[in-house]
Amino acid sequence: MLTAGLKPTIDQKATQVVNTPRTFGKSGPDTFFGGYHTVEDVQTFLDQEAATYPTLAEKVDIGLTWCALHAPCTQTNPNLTWNGYHMYVLHITNQNIPGPKPVFWLEGGLHVREVANPETAMNYIDYLLSNYNTNADARWLVDYQDIWVMPIANPDGHHIVEAGGNSPYYQRKNANYTNGCNGLAA
């Protein structure tokens, strides 16, 4: 670069943005494994986004988890009991612009030990909605696409992993342990 007469510079603002963790207002002892969000945190985030952007986002209940259908759900290792969850997706589109629009589906948290995927899905939601009025790309995506984001496709499994705190349990799948499948990593 220097031989071509170009002088490298550091974009301080962009560097600060990249180096600042995105915790969506919550980090500390209630998160797990260094700051990842619980199922309840993610559902609260979806509620907040839908309330903040009512013409752009809608929280949609798409059904119950296996544990919700077979409550109470009990695991002996770890000793954990809960009643399962509703499964939610955030539908993002400008409701004032009629369709049909191309559909995009983003799903995170299917493999429960991959705990960064729900965070990435939340970051995508935040990017689209918080930048809608200031970023042409975000505005175009929301105006002319039908976007569905499901941050956690496996809330029961995510709950088992998060119950381990700073040392997450090695859950592989959902909590359906019938037919000899224990769901834990070998």
Side-chain angles (χ1 to χ4, degrees):
M1 249 180 12
L2 293 175
T3 59
L6 301 174
K7 183 177 178 182
T9 59
I10 297 173
D11 183 335
Q12 294 295 336
K13 184 178 178 183
T15 301
Q16 181 180 3
V17 168
V18 169
N19 289 327
T20 302
R22 303 286 308 249
T23 60
F24 305 103
K26 180 156 178 143
S27 64
D30 295 333
T31 59
F32 74 100
F33 202 43
Y36 293 100
H37 292 86
T38 64
V39 174
E40 289 80 4
D41 291 336
V42 173
Q43 291 180 352
T44 298
F45 171 77
L46 296 177
D47 289 333
Q48 292 168 342
E49 295 297 287
T52 303
Y53 305 98
T55 61
L56 303 177
E58 175 188 16
K59 182 179 170 186
V60 179
D61 187 334
I62 62 167
L64 298 171
T65 65
W66 188 88
C67 281
L69 294 171
H70 299 87
C73 205
T74 303
Q75 306 303 319
T76 56
N77 186 14
N79 187 10
L80 182 65
T81 301
W82 73 102
N83 290 323
Y85 294 96
H86 285 259
M87 296 182 1
Y88 294 106
V89 62
L90 197 68
H91 180 207
I92 302 170
T93 193
N94 185 336
Q95 298 167 13
N96 295 319
I97 297 177
K101 300 175 183 178
V103 175
F104 175 75
W105 176 272
L106 175 65
E107 185 175 274
L110 180 62
H111 300 111
V112 298
R113 287 182 291 173
E114 297 170 358
V115 294
N117 294 341
E119 306 295 323
T120 302
M122 291 170 61
N123 194 18
Y124 182 63
I125 291 168
D126 180 62
Y127 167 79
L128 290 175
L129 296 175
S130 67
N131 289 299
Y132 179 79
N133 289 320
T134 59
N135 182 293
D137 291 331
R139 186 178 196 93
W140 179 82
L141 285 168
V142 173
D143 282 350
Y144 300 106
Q145 311 300 309
D146 201 11
I147 301 166
W148 298 80
V149 183
M150 185 176 197
I152 301 180
N154 185 354
D156 289 334
H158 191 86
H159 182 71
I160 293 169
V161 170
E162 74 191 35
N166 286 327
S167 180
Y169 296 116
Y170 291 112
Q171 178 72 11
R172 286 184 48 240
K173 56 183 254 1
N174 65 17
N176 180 356
Y177 289 173
T178 58
N179 298 322
C181 183
N182 70 4
L184 300 175

